[in-house]
Amino acid sequence: MKTKLGLIYGGKSAEHNVSLRTALAVINALDMNKFDIHPIYINENGEWIRGNALDAPVKEVSTLKLQDTGNTVSPVSLNAELFPAQTEQQDKIDVIFPLLHGPNGEDGTVQGLLELLNIPYVGNGVLASAAGMDKVVMKNLFAQAGLAQANYVSYIKSDYEKSPEDAYKQVEEALGYPCFVKPANLGSSVGINKCKDRQSLEQAFREAFEFDRKVIIEEGIVGREIEIAVIGNDDPSCSVVGEIAPKKEFYDYKAKYEDGDTDLIIPADITEAEYETIKEMAIKSFKAIDGSGLVRADFFLTEDGKALINEVNTMPGFTPVSMFPLLWKETGIEYPQLIEKLVDLALQRFDQKQQIKHTF
Ligand SMILES: Nc1ncnc2c1ncn2[C@@H]1O[C@H](COP(=O)(O)OP(=O)(O)O)[C@@H](O)[C@H]1O
Ligand SMILES: [Mg+2]
């Protein structure tokens, strides 16, 4: 019996094209003797288009941009329209892998939809996804778990607007310069600025509030950027660590997606003790957000060997040349096996959930 695997990709998001590249790689890595692949494309307008099951590998990203064949559906009618056969056995999708990043994909919304449809899916659930997307909630959870991290403050727009001057003063007193101003709920370094003085701070606040009603401001940390990959459910395991060596002021959007000239050093050259600390912190962070499936945990490692957690990504970059798969490759799990493992973990979590009583 082949597993019918649905891939949701694309999305109304800045990471649309990254998602397409991921989908292409995942499709071509999957063993078609084991999996029937069902593409589900979200176009730039946010419309969902379900394609026919694939009978051969796909060569071009453009093939994945499914054309509207009258199969365009709104997410609210997904169960009836996107999964018309979900009640009949023959075309029932067994498990879905959402290959989406950022808002409306990585933030719990798609996960909530799949929960309602009662379809197993790869990766983090609603709570972990939402908590991982909101940098303020995430850092509050880390603080509660006793994880070392940069000091931070946060503002919602309406409070800030009552007295911007007070906000700037508070930031200067609590954090000083340099500091980083970020929209709370974005990824890919969009809307993030490093500030060195009052003028740049004011500008950074204004810019961040264009992207979100909530911003976080953090003290600037001087340190290497070290990342580690985690997979599992209740008993997660860690990969080796990698290092990002940005050639710019910081790891911004351009460095991530356009220049492609950021060096990934795998494995990173750190001491055994530093590795043990980072591993332990990564597991703690996974548990702090109630993670499942996968996360990539990102750290700063200061000159004196102190590890500070920066963030967890609940759907990290997942092309074969992204940090997460490369870390597993170095650890001994190749890309196709990694995907299969994640699918297994999704099915295990789903089975476990089915045991839960809903009446008493
Ligand atoms: N507190 C900080 N100190 C130093 N550098 C930072 C800090 N916060 C972010 N950066 C830099 O900005 C980059 C993007 O910030 P991050 O919080 O990881 O946002 P995103 O979720 O968009 O990846 C980081 O990879 C790092 O290079
Ligand atoms: Mg980051």
Side-chain angles (χ1 to χ4, degrees):
M1 271 289 279
K2 287 208 238 177
T3 304
K4 293 191 170 69
L5 174 64
L7 298 178
I8 305 180
Y9 59 87
K12 192 177 169 181
S13 140
E15 282 146 311
H16 186 95
N17 289 326
V18 178
S19 175
L20 284 173
R21 284 211 296 273
T22 307
L24 186 73
V26 168
I27 288 167
N28 291 315
L30 284 164
D31 181 348
M32 287 196 145
N33 296 314
K34 289 192 200 158
F35 294 95
D36 279 330
I37 305 165
H38 295 254
I40 301 162
Y41 173 53
I42 307 175
N43 68 19
E44 278 106 336
N45 300 324
E47 294 155 343
W48 295 51
I49 304 166
R50 176 162 175 188
N52 297 322
L54 301 176
D55 45 25
V58 175
K59 290 199 181 66
E60 305 273 345
V61 156
S62 57
T63 318
L64 292 173
K65 296 188 133 201
L66 305 178
Q67 293 307 309
D68 186 356
T69 51
N71 257 342
T72 304
V73 293
S74 81
V76 282
S77 54
L78 267 188
N79 204 15
E81 294 180 44
L82 192 59
F83 304 113
Q86 207 55 15
T87 44
E88 301 158 26
Q89 275 311 316
Q90 24 124 281
D91 218 18
K92 192 171 178 294
I93 288 186
D94 297 316
V95 51
I96 285 187
F97 195 164
L99 303 171
L100 303 163
H101 306 284
N104 300 321
E106 191 179 350
D107 59 353
T109 49
V110 167
Q111 290 73 13
L113 188 67
L114 297 173
E115 290 287 341
L116 287 174
L117 298 177
N118 207 37
I119 299 177
Y121 58 93
V122 171
N124 288 280
V126 175
L127 179 70
S129 301
M133 182 92 303
D134 185 309
K135 292 187 193 300
V136 179
V137 172
M138 176 175 69
K139 284 184 196 266
N140 288 345
L141 291 173
F142 290 167
Q144 222 235 334
L147 288 161
Q149 58 184 338
N151 291 318
Y152 61 97
V153 293
S154 75
Y155 291 92
I156 57 169
K157 195 173 187 181
S158 53
D159 285 341
Y160 160 79
E161 280 172 344
K162 276 179 209 144
S163 172
E165 188 59 31
D166 284 349
Y168 306 143
K169 274 199 193 126
Q170 198 200 349
V171 168
E172 285 168 346
E173 272 164 33
L175 311 173
Y177 297 108
C179 61
F180 281 76
V181 179
K182 315 174 180 180
N185 285 282
L186 267 184
S188 307
S189 305
V190 174
I192 297 184
N193 283 289
K194 179 176 181 175
C195 309
K196 293 174 179 160
D197 51 30
R198 174 64 76 94
Q199 197 191 353
S200 55
L201 181 67
E202 291 180 11
Q203 177 55 33
F205 258 95
R206 283 192 292 270
E207 190 182 333
F209 276 128
E210 285 173 21
F211 292 101
D212 203 339
R213 58 177 269 286
K214 181 157 66 171
V215 303
I216 183 166
I217 306 94
E218 299 169 22
E219 64 174 319
I221 302 296
V222 181
R224 295 159 66 190
E225 294 195 53
I226 303 288
E227 306 191 340
I228 188 166
V230 185
I231 50 175
N233 287 331
D234 290 351
D235 192 16
S237 39
C238 289
S239 69
V240 301
V241 287
E243 175 167 7
I244 290 167
K247 294 176 180 160
K248 314 218 333 189
E249 181 79 19
F250 68 92
Y251 195 33
D252 63 6
Y253 183 88
K254 239 174 136 297
K256 279 182 186 172
Y257 297 113
E258 289 169 15
D259 302 348
D261 66 350
T262 308
D263 286 332
L264 304 185
I265 303 158
I266 302 170
D269 182 18
I270 64 172
T271 67
E272 191 57 37
E274 285 164 348
Y275 177 61
E276 287 305 319
T277 304
I278 284 174
K279 213 163 81 171
E280 195 184 309
M281 288 176 77
I283 301 278
K284 247 192 201 173
S285 70
F286 184 92
K287 292 187 173 167
I289 63 160
D290 196 15
S292 53
L294 73 167
V295 307
R296 195 193 69 227
D298 299 350
F299 293 83
F300 298 113
L301 185 62
T302 65
E303 196 124 82
D304 51 4
K306 195 169 161 51
L308 302 170
I309 190 156
N310 176 32
E311 61 169 343
V312 289
N313 288 280
T314 55
M315 182 52 203
F318 202 81
T319 71
V321 294
S322 305
M323 182 65 103
F324 186 92
L326 289 177
L327 287 172
W328 283 112
K329 190 180 161 87
E330 181 68 25
T331 311
I333 302 178
E334 295 287 336
Y335 194 61
Q337 282 80 55
L338 181 62
I339 298 166
E340 286 187 24
K341 212 168 162 71
L342 290 171
V343 169
D344 283 345
L345 286 166
L347 292 170
Q348 278 168 28
R349 182 177 53 135
F350 184 81
D351 284 345
Q352 230 180 28
K353 226 183 65 196
Q354 302 311 298
Q355 315 298 320
I356 290 169
K357 284 212 286 192
H358 294 286
T359 53
F360 63 94

